[in-house]
Amino acid sequence: MWLVPAIQQPSARVPTIRTVSPNSKLLAFSISKTKPCVVNFRSRLRELKVSAAKKQLPELQSGCQDKGKLSTQGAGDEKSDLGWLPAFPHVLVASMANFAFGYHIGVMNGPIVSIARELGFGGNSFLEGLVVSIFIAGAFIGSISTGSLVDKLGCRRTFQIDSIPLVLGALLSANAHSLDEILWGRFLVGLGIGVNTVLVPLYISEVAPTNYRGALGSLCQIGTCLGIITSLSLGIPSETDPHWWRTILYIASIPGVFVALAMQFAVDSPRWLCKAGRLDDAKTVVRELWGASEVEKAIEDFQSVSKSDGSDLDSSWSEILEEPHSRVSFIGGALFVLQQFSGINGVLYFSSLTFQDVGVSSSALASLFVGLTNFAGALCSSYLIDRQGRLKLLIGSYLGMAISMFLVVYAVGFPLDEQLSKNLPILGTVMYIFSFAIGAGPVTGIIIPELSSARTRGKIMGFSFSTHWVCNFVVGLFFLELVEKFGVAPVYAGFGAVSLLAAAFASYFVVETRGRSLEEIERSLNPKA
């Protein structure tokens, strides 16, 4: 799920939720615990790269083309190109949860002024910002709780339970007649969003066939983008109809109801079923999704990993601070810190003001254009991720973001022709958003569960995404203050510098996982395996 961070509004410039700050100590502790093992981890990453190269060498020697590599049935079989199809309906249902995520991101973009006026806090920028951003507090709590829920209940039941706060929160917000009611509604929505951001990429990584895991995983980002575009499109009438906000908030409950019902017909993760001792069910799912020829090997791999790392349904949070899990916890947390401090929230917020400079006066239309750019990047990512690999997209994405930021800095900081000085920031903004959507957004959410072990995958994902929400909040809180104090050019230059740092970090620490099963990756990175 790239995750597309929340689009910040002018009214949301002073959110003051501080309930998440104490937990930032967890990130610091995790990183400090990780330092002694970085050298050893790099050697394990090199071993994985060498192993992957050896595995691919016979294919290259035999003249297999990329199209054949993506096949789960064998090169030269045209029907094998549909190896992704059995898993697609299940992944699509899961991605609808991210559609709800995107919808709730964009749904407050236009109506917040009408909501504030009708509920009696119009003109109070603090309260308007609180209504928009309180879902971050709920999302942090939801992310932290997901690992334990998934371990005990499995992904399918967790999806259904998570639909409850999403639906109730949407209905409570739509029926709100006071500030307290809409705040509680937004908090419940955030709780559901926090669970979904962890759950969707985790579920897809465990049910998708190995050679299509990246493309199917990118549906997280596509679902989010479609949700944003839908909410922004439906929100346009709110500029003229002061009561339209209730209608679009009622609509927000529909994706949650759909996921709850459709998940009744979806499969559960075969890896979780194996951990739960339900081998017959796990075999049935593997046969349905990956083919009968994969059943015995898949079950053998699942059990082999379970025996080596003691996988069960009750791993503890302290384990993510221990070897070998602390290494992936460090990478997951660091990737989200770099993703957020590369400035996506700030750029999305400032984009509406940038578009105003060239005559796009409607903030809803400007945000809609940004959403379409995001969607185009997500589509390109889904096509490239299993062909070019995660690492190339991640590094290339951050380099593109850095170039885009420096382009905007050049346009703002140097004397140029008037028309050029307006067009270059637009070009830089569009390039930045497209670059983010093609790599830094989707790949970050996809690669963390791929690197995580079966035993701690849920908890590492929960920790990583809770880090995302903390950084999301910090950037939203301080972005405008930094712009007012230092100006746009220095702040954007900082975003560009962080993007370069992120590209270097990815090159140094992140390993290519394309074409390898989760069990192969775990055995390569975990000495115990």
Side-chain angles (χ1 to χ4, degrees):
M1 181 206 30
W2 165 78
L3 287 174
V4 180
I7 297 178
Q8 301 296 325
Q9 304 304 315
S11 58
R13 63 179 65 185
V14 200
T16 58
I17 308 169
R18 301 186 182 274
T19 56
V20 298
S21 58
N23 293 278
S24 60
K25 296 178 181 178
L26 178 61
L27 175 61
F29 180 57
S30 175
I31 293 175
S32 66
K33 289 278 288 183
T34 305
K35 288 180 180 178
C37 65
V38 169
V39 175
N40 182 50
F41 188 41
R42 293 209 312 271
S43 67
R44 300 299 300 175
L45 294 181
R46 292 192 192 99
E47 291 174 15
L48 178 56
K49 292 176 180 177
V50 172
S51 173
K54 288 180 178 178
K55 180 181 178 182
Q56 292 172 2
L57 184 59
E59 293 181 352
L60 295 173
Q61 290 173 335
S62 63
C64 287
Q65 300 301 314
D66 287 344
K67 184 177 180 181
K69 291 179 186 178
L70 292 173
S71 167
T72 59
Q73 303 296 326
D77 183 357
E78 292 182 1
K79 293 183 180 179
S80 66
D81 288 339
L82 299 178
W84 53 270
L85 192 56
F88 181 75
H90 309 277
V91 171
L92 185 63
V93 171
S95 298
M96 279 300 296
N98 262 44
F99 178 89
F101 170 38
Y103 190 95
H104 283 289
I105 286 176
V107 75
M108 287 291 180
N109 192 63
I112 183 60
V113 176
S114 300
I115 295 172
R117 187 182 300 115
E118 185 169 339
L119 299 186
F121 57 93
N124 188 324
S125 60
F126 169 76
L127 293 179
E128 290 179 8
L130 189 61
V131 169
V132 171
S133 58
I134 194 172
F135 82 94
I136 295 178
F140 176 85
I141 297 172
S143 296
I144 285 291
S145 64
T146 307
S148 298
L149 287 173
V150 171
D151 286 347
K152 293 178 181 178
L153 303 175
C155 292
R156 193 163 69 96
R157 292 299 178 213
T158 305
F159 269 117
Q160 293 178 313
I161 292 173
D162 181 54
S163 297
I164 297 173
L166 278 173
V167 173
L168 289 180
L171 294 177
L172 183 58
S173 299
N175 282 290
H177 292 89
S178 68
L179 175 63
D180 290 343
E181 289 178 350
I182 198 164
L183 286 176
W184 274 111
R186 290 289 291 170
F187 178 82
L188 287 174
V189 164
L191 197 65
I193 284 173
V195 173
N196 279 342
T197 53
V198 174
L199 191 57
V200 176
L202 190 153
Y203 176 78
I204 295 176
S205 72
E206 295 203 345
V207 303
T210 296
N211 291 320
Y212 302 95
R213 194 172 57 233
L216 291 175
S218 66
L219 288 179
C220 299
Q221 177 82 348
I222 292 174
T224 302
C225 293
L226 288 176
I228 293 174
I229 292 170
T230 301
S231 63
L232 292 175
S233 300
L234 292 176
I236 291 176
S238 66
E239 296 182 356
T240 55
D241 184 351
H243 304 295
W244 180 248
W245 63 272
R246 294 190 184 274
T247 301
I248 57 178
L249 286 177
Y250 276 122
I251 294 173
S253 64
I254 296 176
V257 174
F258 173 84
V259 171
L261 296 177
M263 268 294 159
Q264 191 63 32
F265 305 97
V267 299
D268 219 326
S269 162
R271 293 172 168 92
W272 180 83
L273 291 170
C274 192
K275 286 198 296 182
R278 296 164 56 182
L279 288 182
D280 289 340
D281 291 337
K283 290 178 181 179
T284 300
V285 172
V286 172
R287 186 178 296 108
E288 177 184 344
L289 299 185
W290 305 347
S293 61
E294 298 291 326
V295 173
E296 295 305 322
K297 181 180 184 302
I299 296 300
E300 182 181 345
D301 283 345
F302 299 163
Q303 291 179 323
S304 174
V305 167
S306 295
K307 290 177 182 177
S308 65
D309 70 0
S311 293
D312 53 43
L313 300 182
D314 195 26
S315 61
S316 66
W317 274 101
S318 62
E319 291 181 45
I320 71 171
L321 301 177
E322 301 171 357
E323 282 290 338
H325 313 300
S326 60
R327 301 180 301 221
V328 182
S329 300
F330 163 67
I331 290 176
L335 282 176
F336 273 120
V337 169
L338 293 168
Q339 183 203 67
Q340 290 300 295
F341 284 100
S342 66
I344 183 63
N345 271 344
V347 174
L348 287 175
Y349 164 75
F350 216 69
S351 63
S352 60
L353 301 181
T354 304
F355 279 99
Q356 285 179 11
D357 288 340
V358 293
V360 182
S361 58
S362 172
S363 61
L365 288 176
S367 298
L368 184 59
F369 182 81
V370 168
L372 291 171
T373 303
N374 213 338
F375 178 64
L379 287 179
C380 291
S381 177
S382 68
Y383 177 79
L384 294 172
I385 193 166
D386 283 322
R387 291 171 170 81
Q388 299 300 318
R390 284 72 158 150
L391 194 56
K392 283 184 180 180
L393 285 188
L394 194 60
I395 295 173
S397 172
Y398 277 118
L399 290 177
M401 291 162 64
I403 293 171
S404 303
M405 286 293 89
F406 295 139
L407 182 64
V408 175
V409 170
Y410 176 76
V412 172
F414 293 88
L416 299 171
D417 175 80
E418 181 180 355
Q419 191 62 36
L420 190 61
S421 66
K422 290 183 177 180
N423 291 336
L424 275 184
I426 292 289
L427 176 62
T429 299
V430 171
M431 284 177 52
Y432 176 92
I433 294 168
F434 184 85
S435 298
F436 177 89
I438 206 171
V443 173
T444 304
I446 290 171
I447 204 166
I448 296 172
E450 291 182 330
L451 294 175
S452 303
S453 70
R455 180 173 179 81
T456 57
R457 185 168 293 124
K459 290 183 172 62
I460 288 176
M461 290 285 285
F463 164 73
S464 300
F465 276 90
S466 63
T467 303
H468 161 272
W469 290 114
V470 171
C471 296
N472 184 308
F473 166 74
V474 171
V475 173
L477 180 64
F478 292 109
F479 171 72
L480 278 180
E481 291 187 23
L482 291 174
V483 169
E484 291 173 0
K485 185 174 183 179
F486 299 105
V488 172
V491 173
Y492 273 32
F495 290 159
V498 174
S499 297
L500 290 177
L501 178 62
F505 179 89
S507 177
Y508 197 65
F509 286 102
V510 178
V511 65
E512 182 56 65
T513 56
R514 176 185 57 154
R516 300 179 67 79
S517 72
L518 300 182
E519 288 69 37
E520 286 180 273
I521 298 168
E522 180 171 352
R523 282 194 292 266
S524 298
L525 297 180
N526 184 357
K528 294 181 181 179

